Amino acid sequence: MTAPEQLRAAFVRIAATRMAGLPLNNPALSVATVGFVPWSEVQVGVLIAPWAINLAVVSDHPNALRLGVDERQTWRFPSGEYELMGGNEPECGPFQFCSLFSPAFEFADQATAEATAVAIMQGLLAKADDDGREAARMVGTSTLQAPVSRRGFLRGVFGAQKA
Amino acid sequence: MTETFYDVLRRQGISRRSFLKFCSLTATSLGLDSSYAAEIAKAMETKPRTPVIWLEGLECTCCSESFIRSAHPLTKDVVLSMMSLDYHVTLMAAAGHQAEKQLEEIKKKYKGNYILAVEGNPPLNEDGMFCIEGGRPFVEILKETAADAKAVIAWGACASYGCVQAAKPNPTRATPIDKVISGKPIVKVPGCPPIAEVMTGVVTYMLTFDRIPELDRQGRPKMFYGQRIHDKCYRRPHFDAGQFVEQWDDENARKGYCLYKMGCKGPTTYNACSTVRWNDGVSFPIQSGHGCIGCSEEGFWDKGSFYDRVTDIKQFGVESNADKVGGTAAAVAGAAVAVHAAASALKKAKKSDNDKVTGGN
């Protein structure tokens, strides 16, 4: 079994045990792993479960993903940085995940949830074209007025935006 | 009387530098961007001071206790100097006839111009005899004072929803103030008590901008009651992974797993506890190992045990706010909606510049 399949197996079991019968499950959804792609040494994709949809990172060498209780690891994807938390289940070993929807009641059916998961992966891997201009526009300042650090000020660097 | 807030502050020896710092702190706590700090400063420098009358009915004073513990000492000075000078039976120096006379004077002098803040609620049975203040039923004082107020703030679960004194069978017929006061804008700030920073935030907003903040359908300020405890709970990832505390003091409790199965009301409670937190941002109930009891929701005393699991979770998701509950929580269907849902979920999940603390990867 590949790593995403192992993750899926783990969550199928969780759905049937720890989550069984809880009113937080969306009955229209079932466990699925969508859009996993290789990312350096690991694979990243979306895990759909009836109670939540998460970004998930798995690996064929899962020990590399081991995190302590409440530790988080920051991953940089083209669209930005995301903080993932560690999980560990017998079927798949250590994995990491980041909450996107929980509970997941807004999905009417599995097809919509999976379409959303595909869109999430496209968005995740699309390069963000954010150079601070949008943020500056919202605040109403010029990008030339980017915050000046004390050090920059003393050295005559006034935080001009790279063109 | 054209004294401004700024005049009052300067008279109390607060420097201009501290004053400006207060303005930017206030802007931040209200969720406004920093450009609003100047607007707040301008309002405080130019607008005449708005008096606040603080009435207490059937209540336990926990709202006042919370309020005076607002985290930043300057906030406390500023806000208390705006209020205690006027009328607050617990905080002001005057007592007895002197205090009642003061109340009458403020009402006359600032007719139609003061803000009425109400802690607690009036009991209506036996013509209001279960709560007598200065020899008169509280409900009368409340109605009279509200009649000449510009706006009304309902502090806490008592004034907003009734709280414990209105729990079944409600022997005194304790009644939320919006059922007694009519024709005035009422801002509900529920919680038992509400978070100190939320209280000072609401007051400061109303005093500086001279209008009430944007409210949800239940009359609560959206800026503080727009999200569920669950949405911003640091234990939410454990929920997503199906990791729950199964019984008190088990291994999972020590690991800090999700408290839903132990009765946590986080998934159905709208409040700012998981972001603002308590006691100067130190902690909040879930962080100290106990589930949320849902104290800012209507009728929370009559919703069964604090340890019963929430079962009436409506069909809504992380994007929803209280306005959609019971209304038109449209399920996501179709490709276009899926793309939108994906984009906003990713945006929320992305680390913002503010919380970049650790490195990694």
Side-chain angles (χ1 to χ4, degrees):
Chain A
M1 266 205 299
T2 63
E5 283 169 355
Q6 286 169 347
L7 181 72
R8 185 177 168 278
F11 272 77
V12 165
R13 176 183 52 78
I14 292 169
T17 54
R18 303 198 295 250
M19 294 302 296
L22 293 189
L24 293 154
N25 289 309
N26 179 349
L29 301 186
S30 52
V31 175
T33 45
V34 181
F36 274 82
V37 291
W39 185 259
S40 63
E41 311 277 285
V42 300
Q43 294 179 62
V44 60
V46 173
L47 170 72
I48 298 173
W51 61 92
I53 295 179
N54 278 272
L55 195 65
V57 166
V58 294
S59 168
D60 292 326
H61 312 286
N63 275 335
L65 295 173
R66 191 180 294 277
L67 288 179
V69 172
D70 274 342
E71 271 181 7
R72 280 146 214 257
Q73 183 171 349
T74 301
W75 291 83
R76 185 187 290 274
F77 296 110
S79 60
E81 289 186 344
Y82 298 83
E83 208 175 45
L84 276 69
M85 208 178 116
N88 193 350
E89 296 295 338
E91 290 87 343
C92 60
F95 60 96
Q96 293 184 11
F97 61 103
C98 173
S99 191
L100 296 171
F101 299 92
S102 96
F105 285 120
E106 61 262 68
F107 297 97
D109 51 46
Q110 182 75 8
T112 311
E114 294 192 5
T116 306
V118 170
I120 283 168
M121 288 311 292
Q122 285 165 356
L124 180 77
L125 301 175
K127 176 122 182 61
D129 49 359
D130 174 27
D131 59 359
R133 281 174 213 207
E134 180 62 12
R137 192 182 68 76
M138 297 298 283
V139 186
T141 56
S142 158
T143 46
L144 295 173
Q145 292 169 359
V148 182
S149 72
R150 187 177 164 80
R151 173 178 290 251
F153 175 74
L154 292 172
R155 293 169 66 201
V157 180
F158 293 106
Q161 199 79 33
K162 289 184 286 285
Chain B
M1 187 76 180
T2 50
E3 196 175 36
T4 65
F5 288 126
Y6 185 59
D7 294 336
V8 176
L9 293 174
R10 288 311 297 254
R11 206 177 59 225
Q12 295 193 343
I14 289 169
S15 69
R16 176 155 186 88
R17 188 191 174 96
S18 297
F19 166 70
L20 292 175
K21 200 169 164 196
F22 164 77
C23 293
S24 51
L25 268 171
T26 304
T28 314
S29 77
L30 291 170
L32 304 170
D33 72 58
S34 50
S35 62
Y36 275 93
E39 200 175 321
I40 293 175
K42 192 175 165 217
M44 292 193 122
E45 281 169 340
T46 53
K47 285 189 183 160
R49 199 172 74 92
T50 310
V52 177
I53 295 177
W54 185 309
L55 293 182
E56 291 166 87
L58 279 190
E59 47 85 44
C60 71
T61 315
C62 77
C63 296
S64 292
E65 290 286 346
S66 174
F67 186 76
I68 60 175
R69 278 163 184 75
S70 185
H72 193 268
L74 189 60
T75 311
K76 207 156 53 191
D77 286 348
V78 170
V79 183
L80 285 183
S81 72
M82 303 190 295
M83 316 191 68
S84 61
L85 294 173
D86 298 305
Y87 185 88
H88 183 303
V89 287
T90 313
L91 298 177
M92 68 186 190
H97 293 298
Q98 201 188 1
E100 297 313 308
K101 199 171 146 233
Q102 195 168 327
L103 176 59
E104 287 312 311
E105 275 174 13
I106 301 164
K107 272 161 50 176
K108 224 177 284 165
K109 191 167 168 188
Y110 297 101
K111 189 171 173 167
N113 252 332
Y114 57 85
I115 290 173
L116 170 62
V118 186
E119 182 176 2
N121 55 34
L124 302 185
N125 270 356
E126 309 293 345
D127 295 326
M129 290 303 165
F130 292 102
C131 185
I132 303 288
E133 285 176 18
R136 300 169 61 210
F138 173 65
V139 63
E140 286 181 15
I141 301 172
L142 176 65
K143 281 183 181 170
E144 275 176 25
T145 315
D148 289 334
K150 183 161 60 175
V152 182
I153 304 176
W155 284 145
C158 298
S160 303
Y161 302 130
C163 204
V164 68
Q165 60 273 43
K168 290 182 186 113
N170 191 0
T172 66
R173 225 174 111 220
T175 307
I177 63 164
D178 61 330
K179 302 282 192 303
V180 177
I181 298 170
S182 54
K184 297 285 170 185
I186 299 179
V187 182
K188 290 182 177 178
V189 186
C192 193
I195 302 169
E197 286 75 13
V198 169
M199 300 177 81
T200 50
V202 169
V203 170
T204 314
Y205 185 96
M206 290 172 69
L207 295 178
T208 51
F209 295 111
D210 202 21
R211 60 171 184 262
I212 60 171
E214 196 187 350
L215 306 178
D216 66 12
R217 273 204 322 206
Q218 299 197 43
R220 308 176 288 197
K222 275 186 180 170
M223 61 180 83
F224 296 116
Y225 295 89
Q227 280 188 311
R228 292 170 297 175
I229 301 292
H230 175 76
D231 295 335
K232 295 283 173 185
C233 181
Y234 77 106
R235 295 194 184 199
R236 184 175 135 180
H238 289 298
F239 169 87
D240 291 359
Q243 296 172 324
F244 298 99
V245 175
E246 301 285 344
Q247 55 181 323
W248 294 116
D249 211 26
D250 66 0
E251 184 57 26
N252 295 352
R254 279 187 277 274
K255 283 181 181 160
Y257 284 2
C258 175
L259 290 157
Y260 166 73
K261 288 189 178 179
M262 304 310 291
C264 182
K265 308 289 185 286
T268 50
T269 303
Y270 290 82
N271 206 338
C273 302
S274 47
T275 45
V276 178
R277 306 201 181 181
W278 289 80
N279 297 324
D280 208 354
V282 168
S283 184
F284 71 113
I286 294 166
Q287 196 175 346
S288 58
H290 191 286
C292 164
I293 62 172
C295 75
S296 55
E297 290 301 308
E298 186 160 6
F300 81 102
W301 290 101
D302 288 326
K303 286 183 176 167
S305 162
F306 294 159
Y307 305 102
D308 287 346
R309 280 181 207 168
V310 175
T311 51
D312 60 341
I313 295 173
K314 308 280 201 314
Q315 305 273 309
F316 59 89
V318 69
E319 277 270 35
S320 307
N321 58 43
D323 278 353
K324 293 185 190 159
V325 179
T328 51
V332 175
V337 196
V339 170
H340 172 74
S344 61
L346 267 180
K347 199 171 159 217
K348 276 176 204 273
K350 203 184 293 185
K351 251 179 118 174
S352 70
D353 287 337
N354 298 332
D355 50 29
K356 276 179 192 162
V357 189
T358 50
N361 193 38

